[in-house]
Amino acid sequence: MNPPELWIEALPKLGWLVLAIAALSLTLALGRRIGSALKLRLWGIPEALVAGLLGLLLAPGGPLPLLPVPVLELWADLPLVLLTLVFGSLMLSKPLPQLGSLWRPVSGQVSLALVLAFGQYVVGGLAVLLVLQPLLGVSPVMACLIEVAYEGGHGSAAAMGPSYAALGFPGGQDLGLAMATVGLLSSTLVGGLVVVLARRQGWLLATSPTKPTQGEGASAAASPAGPAAWAVNLALVGVAVLVGELLLLALRALTLPLGGGVAAVTQALPVFPLAILGSLFVRWVLERSGRSQLASAPIQSELSTLAADLLITAATAGLNLKLLQADWLPLTVLALGGLAWNLAVVLLLAPRVLPADWFERAVIEFGQATGVAASGLLLLRMADPEDQSDALSAFSIKQLLLQPFLAGGVITVVAPLAVVGWGLPVWTGFCFGLVLLAGGAGLWLARSQPAAAPAP
């Protein structure tokens, strides 16, 4: 095909892309305007979710199908790209953490995340063994759906569909996608209400009268950023993402000769966890060269906020509500069980294993463990709009450590094989032992530190 023919073929696609971006931006702007007018943030309802619901109404399957199908298809491809941008900007404007001082809070973050994830397998196993199998005779592999859908989200639920079908659970993909839908909605709605409760109970670090907000300290030095500063910061994010892409290509090349499950996992691994490494690398280069001022904290915050809001808008607008109508009973049992577990861990265990900013650190874990990582970031912005806590740094490092294993990683792939090979009772007991081990380690590490906060 000669170059003119390539241009002719590409122009319609480019037109649809421009239309999709414009429609998404307009939908988000309208959602923000409605949310601001109704003061929905006071009720814990994020404006990006309002925009997503507007998109859901305008989608081809909605009551006002004004958006064409190609636009929604392009929106469906955006969440992973936008999430990569969010993680690529995480560490650019923050000083490099001192590993020695971060060991204690990161260890608590890891402990909490492990309890959340493996506890979801325990809850799913008990629900299937005690309720769903006796009543409905469901497949034991169904016990894996809470972790796949809540921790992994729509991407992991879709990716695990063929594995479930091969293990005699052909409906696993549809049910997993439906549960991921419930998780996405409940992570923002329920999480937002929990943030409102935390504000009233005084659990937020921002309620401390002794610590000034960053806005108070930076307002005098802040100056309007021009187009050049925005261009530089966009370029820095792009370099961080590029470094992440190169690291992912190198990881895949190294594991490809190994074959089997290891190669399959790395081939399916998304780039956004490695974009955090790219962000750290770019920050290291800036600090070593004495140019750290190029990474503007306000601009990086705006970029991250915009990318996360666009992500939530696109993901919510693309939900397939018809999936919720099928298998409603197992969906309800598993969804409520997983949600109850996540809330219990956040409210009961987190203040005992995390530092003083325990709620900010815990609410981002709740959002990620119930919906997607962007949901956790959204809840963190609601709880800590001035970025006073160290939650984002600890969460980012924790993601680097655990993302290859959970939420679509090695454990997610191996879990259904273990359920079939070992039997569901053995797998559930094994996960329960890991929950006790991780929770006990977090409590033991916290004993050498001052109390984080009064436990709720």
Side-chain angles (χ1 to χ4, degrees):
M1 185 179 294
N2 56 45
E5 292 175 343
L6 289 173
W7 276 105
I8 293 174
E9 183 180 349
L11 280 176
K13 297 180 180 179
L14 181 61
W16 281 117
L17 179 61
V18 172
L19 179 60
I21 294 175
L24 183 61
S25 302
L26 182 60
T27 303
L28 176 59
L30 185 57
R32 284 179 168 180
R33 179 66 63 88
I34 294 174
S36 177
L38 299 178
K39 302 184 185 304
L40 294 181
R41 283 183 177 266
L42 296 178
W43 300 93
I45 302 176
E47 295 167 356
L49 185 60
V50 177
L53 295 177
L54 286 176
L56 196 60
L57 294 175
L58 301 176
L64 297 174
L66 299 179
L67 295 173
V69 173
V71 168
L72 267 295
E73 290 176 347
L74 288 170
W75 282 14
D77 295 332
L78 288 178
L80 183 58
V81 176
L82 293 168
L83 188 59
T84 302
L85 293 178
V86 171
F87 277 87
S89 66
L90 279 182
M91 306 301 296
L92 287 178
S93 60
K94 295 180 177 293
L96 288 176
Q98 300 295 324
L99 295 181
S101 61
L102 272 180
W103 161 243
R104 150 73 176 103
V106 169
S107 64
Q109 203 83 21
V110 170
S111 172
L112 188 73
L114 290 174
V115 170
L116 282 167
F118 284 105
Q120 290 177 2
Y121 283 120
V122 174
V123 172
L126 293 176
V128 170
L129 288 171
L130 301 179
V131 180
L132 298 179
Q133 272 191 339
L135 291 179
L136 304 175
V138 301
S139 168
V141 180
M142 186 176 285
C144 300
L145 288 184
I146 300 179
E147 195 275 342
V148 168
Y150 278 11
E151 286 275 350
H154 290 80
S156 296
M160 291 300 295
S163 298
Y164 292 153
L167 295 172
F169 185 33
Q173 178 171 322
D174 289 342
L175 191 55
L177 289 170
M179 280 198 59
T181 299
V182 175
L184 181 62
L185 293 173
S186 59
S187 64
T188 49
L189 292 175
V190 177
L193 293 175
V194 173
V195 172
V196 173
L197 174 65
R199 188 175 294 114
R200 293 180 177 178
Q201 295 294 323
W203 298 340
L204 300 181
L205 191 67
T207 60
S208 171
T210 61
K211 183 173 181 178
T213 66
Q214 288 187 0
E216 293 170 347
S219 58
S223 59
W230 278 88
V232 168
N233 280 268
L234 281 170
L236 291 175
V237 176
V239 172
V241 173
L242 178 59
V243 172
E245 288 280 3
L246 294 175
L247 290 173
L248 182 59
L249 289 175
L251 181 62
R252 289 173 175 174
L254 290 173
T255 57
L256 186 60
L258 300 177
V262 176
V265 169
T266 55
Q267 291 298 319
L269 187 68
V271 69
F272 69 84
L274 297 176
I276 304 175
L277 283 178
S279 180
L280 285 169
F281 175 76
V282 173
R283 180 68 194 188
W284 177 81
V285 171
L286 291 175
E287 290 192 3
R288 290 295 299 268
S289 61
R291 297 176 179 270
S292 56
Q293 74 280 0
L294 292 177
S296 167
I299 293 178
Q300 292 297 329
S301 178
E302 285 292 328
L303 289 173
S304 178
T305 298
L306 179 60
D309 285 353
L310 289 172
L311 187 156
I312 294 171
T313 301
T316 305
L319 296 179
N320 187 351
L321 297 181
K322 292 183 179 179
L323 293 173
L324 300 177
Q325 300 174 1
D327 296 324
W328 66 270
L329 181 56
L331 171 66
T332 302
V333 171
L334 293 175
L336 291 179
L339 182 60
W341 172 258
N342 289 351
L343 283 172
V345 171
V346 165
L347 296 179
L348 299 179
L349 180 63
R352 293 169 171 82
V353 300
L354 296 177
D357 53 349
W358 71 269
F359 183 82
E360 289 83 355
R361 295 171 182 266
V363 78
I364 193 174
E365 293 294 342
F366 173 82
Q368 193 273 329
T370 310
V372 292
S375 302
L377 296 176
L378 178 66
L379 293 175
L380 177 61
R381 288 204 306 275
M382 295 173 62
D384 186 19
E386 300 292 339
D387 197 20
Q388 297 184 67
S389 71
D390 293 323
L392 196 55
S393 298
F395 177 76
S396 301
I397 297 173
K398 184 273 303 181
Q399 285 291 94
L400 285 175
L401 297 175
L402 297 187
Q403 181 67 44
F405 303 99
L406 297 166
V410 176
I411 301 299
T412 304
V413 174
V414 170
L417 301 175
V419 168
V420 174
W422 297 356
L424 182 55
V426 175
W427 170 251
T428 303
F430 174 73
C431 291
F432 180 67
L434 292 178
V435 168
L436 293 179
L437 181 63
L443 292 171
W444 178 78
L445 289 170
R447 289 178 58 188
S448 61
Q449 300 292 329

